[in-house]
Amino acid sequence: MITGTLTTPGQGVCFTTRNVVPGERVAAWQRALSQVFVDVEATAEQDRPWLGEFRAERLGVLQIATEESGPGTVLRSARSVAADPRTHILVRQQLDGSALLLQDGRTADLTPGRLAFHDARRPFRIVLPQRQRARILMVPRARMRLAEGQLSALTATVVDEADGGAAALLLPLLHGIVDEVAGSTTARRDQLARAAVDILATVALEQIGRRPAPALWERITASVQSRLTEPGLAPQDIADQHGISLRYLHRLFQLHGTTVNAWVRARRLEAARRELARPGAAHRSVAAVGAHWGFTSPSHFSRTFRETYGMSPVQWRGSASAADAAPAASGEPAPRPAEPCAPGEGTVPRRSTLTALSARSPSLRVPTLRGG
């Protein structure tokens, strides 16, 4: 259970699943996160040892928390957004381990020292591939002083002091202030909390200003989209085609919260998923579909498909075929097949179920590409 209260200065709240029955830990974790932060859905591998714990404290306009959990997934779905009036801006700073933060069609690959903003007003997804520890700052939306368009351009983009700019100056200051807040007097805490929020707003504005001109990004991504079937497609080929350096190409994708290989792999997976669902492609083997979309290794294709969508290519094709065949006897139009959950919205995919999403299928961006 949650101990303490967010309304008592200097006390905060604590929660751990250590004393919860193993089979009920993830559900208890979900309830605790939803109570202290915003409504979310949590999943984890039930057959693996799992522990989650956090401490949170509200300091004036700022809520500061440290959480440790994983592996697993935390999802704020469209349903959660509609049911929960909280519209805070959250900032996730990775302390140990790694995490993927997905929102607004982008993926932020977070490693120690990096941080990213996410908006409680829209769906987001956090994927924890291993046990990890992070600091989470929660700020009232109005205190960020950003327009909605600026917020949508900010979410799920990596802020890293190693990249230079204002972040190199402000992030160490921010971390120092946050570390100092807890041990200060009440009046001092409020003052430091306001200073931390002001720094966050400044970092956010600088991050938005560093985004490159959309025209170049759109040209490059459109070109890469048309070349997904080329198994040998490499970052150097893309850079040469557009007359830019390889370093700038990588920087361009990094500023959009992803990598070249991650973006290519996600688009290839999406294209292969769509083809597997087409009745006209039923005669093609799974390996042939994967090879057509640039996956030279059938085992790698199956593994990455399952890691991304929570089911194998064969299971996905079977679900699509079953959806097409089910209404044949009644003569009713075929419903859309149950699509695997795309990172960032929808419901959390489970290996034992097929998750239904709407007809809209957002793009996926999951970093790391291991040959393909």
Side-chain angles (χ1 to χ4, degrees), residues 293-334:
W293 291 107
F295 291 92
T296 56
S297 167
S299 61
H300 173 59
F301 172 55
S302 295
R303 183 173 63 255
T304 54
F305 192 99
R306 180 183 288 276
E307 289 173 352
T308 302
Y309 296 118
M311 65 182 76
S312 70
V314 173
Q315 290 173 319
W316 164 235
R317 169 175 271 178
S319 70
S321 299
D324 287 335
S330 65
E332 296 178 358

Side-chain angles (χ1 to χ4, degrees), residues 95-240:
L95 301 176
D96 295 300
S98 63
L100 301 178
L101 169 60
L102 303 96
Q103 188 171 41
D104 295 327
R106 292 182 294 270
T107 299
D109 185 0
L110 298 178
T111 52
R114 290 180 161 190
L115 65 80
F117 295 80
H118 45 306
D119 185 351
R121 182 173 281 178
R122 295 189 300 282
F124 63 77
R125 177 186 176 101
I126 300 172
V127 179
L128 309 174
Q130 59 194 19
R131 187 154 184 82
Q132 56 76 52
R133 187 167 64 95
R135 173 180 287 149
I136 302 171
L137 308 179
M138 191 167 165
V139 184
R141 191 181 200 84
R143 293 304 299 254
M144 293 298 293
R145 303 187 299 277
L146 296 174
E148 290 302 310
Q150 291 176 309
L151 285 171
S152 63
L154 172 68
T155 53
T157 61
V158 174
V159 181
D160 190 339
E161 62 186 76
D163 293 337
L169 299 174
L170 294 176
L171 289 187
L173 178 60
L174 173 66
H175 304 332
I177 289 176
V178 171
D179 289 338
E180 185 180 347
V181 164
S184 301
T185 63
T186 300
R188 179 65 171 162
R189 280 200 303 268
D190 290 343
Q191 184 181 25
L192 291 173
R194 289 193 296 272
V197 171
D198 289 341
I199 290 174
L200 284 173
T202 303
V203 169
L205 280 172
E206 200 263 354
Q207 180 76 355
I208 295 167
R210 297 181 70 187
R211 299 289 296 278
L216 176 60
W217 170 255
E218 291 168 0
R219 286 198 304 271
I220 291 175
T221 53
S223 171
V224 174
Q225 184 79 39
S226 69
R227 301 179 63 186
L228 294 177
T229 58
E230 300 178 24
L233 181 62
Q236 187 65 64
D237 299 329
I238 300 169
D240 292 345

